[in-house]
């Protein structure tokens, strides 16, 4: 997986400062590590969302079932 920014360009810009090439390389690697820590793959996101959709569907079915049962009970009391 690629970093969400160009680490080579970053390092090239920083190496012309007081930090020099070694400092620039170290900073670029550190920034890439931090940025990559919070990234998620599309496959992992789709799997997580799929699980949430299944849970939501189950909640909807349970809610409808309860509503129908309550409505049936109310109708039987009104007879």
């Amino acid at each position: 997986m690629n970093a969400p920014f160009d680490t080579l360009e970053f390092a090239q810009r920083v190496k012309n400062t007081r930090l020099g090439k070694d400092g620039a390389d170290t900073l670029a690697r550190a920034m890439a590590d931090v940025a990559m820590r919070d990234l998620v793959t599309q496959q992992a996101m789709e799997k997580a969302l799929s699980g949430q959709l299944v849970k939501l569907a189950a909640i909807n079915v349970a809610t409808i079932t309860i509503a129908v049962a309550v409505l049936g009970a109310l109708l039987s009391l009104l007879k």
Side-chain angles (χ1 to χ4, degrees), residues 1 4 8 12-13 16 19-20 24 28-29 36 40 43 45 51-55 58-59 61 64 68-70 75:
M1 181 183 296
L8 179 59
Q12 288 173 342
R13 287 183 181 192
N16 294 326
L19 295 173
R29 279 193 297 275
M36 296 299 291
V40 63
Q43 182 179 9
M45 180 63 77
Q52 292 301 315
L53 288 175
V54 169
K55 289 177 185 177
I59 290 169
V61 168
I64 291 169
V68 168
V70 169
L75 289 175

Side-chain angles (χ1 to χ4, degrees), residues 38-55:
D38 294 328
L39 291 182
V40 63
T41 64
Q42 182 177 354
Q43 182 179 9
M45 180 63 77
E46 288 173 353
K47 183 178 178 183
L49 289 175
S50 176
Q52 292 301 315
L53 288 175
V54 169
K55 289 177 185 177

Side-chain angles (χ1 to χ4, degrees), residues 68-78:
V68 168
V70 169
L71 183 60
L74 289 174
L75 289 175
S76 69
L77 288 175
L78 293 175

